[in-house]
Amino acid sequence: MRLGIFGGTFDPVHIGHLVAAQVALEQAGLDRVVFVPAGVNPLKVGKVISAGEHRLHMVELAVHDTPQFAVSDWEIKRPGPSFTVDTLEHFHEEHPAAELFFIIGADNLHILPKWRSVDRILELATVLAVTRPGFDLKTSTGTALALYPEVAKRVHYVEIPGLDISSTWIRERLAKNLSVEHLVPQKVIGYSEENKLYERIGD
Ligand code: ATP
């Protein structure tokens, strides 16, 4: 089995995430993509982040009708933030025969060489870097990765249709009572409204 692992805050999940997962699945011939919402220690972050259970539930609602997508509560259930290496070790233990692929947005790629235990990460998984508007992989990231050929070798690029959408922008729109229809799955919008997740401006 070829298993994609897609980590993120997902506050909230939006079509940028869903399209990235779908195209990565197709281009890398994955059997499944598991979304792994991050457990975040509220004391350690500069902005208010919705509770893990809410972010997890929103991803569950978003992927429910796509058989190749799944959600894991593994990081959310652990106290504090998790390191990618720990998450990949967990999936490796759970699916020892699977080939793992770690999906990240191009905006995160330049810091990959600095991640904890990067050598082990690259042993455990191939990195699938999905393109994101505003981040030119060939120049900025290409240069950063050129310094780390061992890392660059394990990174594959996945070109996705440019969707200049972020959770920050979605939160801002919701806080201003602007529509996010077509940007976020309808069930996720309903859930965030019922739970009043994004009513405060500036979060
Ligand atoms: P925020 O605005 O709160 O920082 P975000 O929209 O960047 O959030 P995350 O949950 O941090 O969303 O993203 C999870 C992963 O998905 C990251 O690797 C990120 O680079 C990638 N990603 C998010 N939005 C897009 C997009 N529009 N196109 C491509 N990749 C994306």
Side-chain angles (χ1 to χ4, degrees):
M1 181 176 56
R2 291 163 72 84
L3 184 61
I5 310 293
F6 191 16
T9 313
F10 304 120
D11 190 21
V13 61
H14 54 69
I15 57 162
H17 300 129
L18 296 166
V19 170
Q22 181 63 39
V23 178
L25 181 111
E26 290 164 11
Q27 287 195 11
L30 308 181
D31 297 292
R32 194 193 306 167
V33 172
V34 182
F35 290 62
V36 188
V40 176
N41 180 345
L43 298 175
K44 287 201 176 164
V45 292
K47 59 182 176 182
V48 178
I49 291 183
S50 304
E53 70 185 88
H54 288 315
R55 293 181 290 107
L56 178 70
H57 195 66
M58 288 189 284
V59 178
E60 279 168 358
L61 290 171
V63 307
H64 184 262
D65 296 326
T66 309
Q68 297 97 331
F69 289 176
V71 191
S72 165
D73 64 2
W74 192 74
E75 288 196 8
I76 294 280
K77 289 269 160 74
R78 304 177 87 215
S82 298
F83 291 102
T84 296
V85 68
D86 300 329
T87 303
L88 291 175
E89 293 282 11
H90 162 72
F91 281 99
H92 177 60
E93 274 165 34
E94 203 172 59
H95 306 278
E99 189 175 350
L100 300 184
F101 294 80
F102 187 67
I103 302 168
I104 59 171
D107 51 313
N108 286 318
L109 197 55
H110 67 285
I111 51 168
L112 176 68
K114 307 270 183 220
W115 285 4
R116 173 181 285 206
S117 310
V118 67
D119 294 343
R120 181 66 182 144
I121 289 177
L122 300 174
E123 261 170 39
L124 287 164
T126 301
V127 174
L128 296 179
V130 298
T131 51
R132 190 167 186 178
F135 299 91
D136 183 352
L137 291 172
K138 291 198 181 67
T139 55
S140 53
T141 312
T143 315
L145 284 192
L147 299 172
Y148 301 90
E150 290 310 306
V151 176
K153 253 193 331 217
R154 293 284 284 158
V155 175
H156 294 198
Y157 295 97
V158 175
E159 188 95 31
I160 68 163
L163 292 165
D164 196 0
I165 293 163
S166 68
S167 297
T168 304
W169 184 60
I170 305 282
R171 291 194 297 273
E172 283 166 6
R173 289 184 65 83
L174 286 168
K176 290 178 193 156
N177 268 326
L178 295 171
S179 170
V180 295
E181 210 180 339
H182 314 302
L183 300 170
V184 174
Q186 200 58 47
K187 287 180 188 165
V188 174
I189 298 175
Y191 182 88
S192 76
E193 285 172 354
E194 273 160 37
N195 292 279
K196 302 186 185 353
L197 295 185
Y198 304 112
E199 287 185 353
R200 276 172 302 163
I201 293 179
D203 284 0

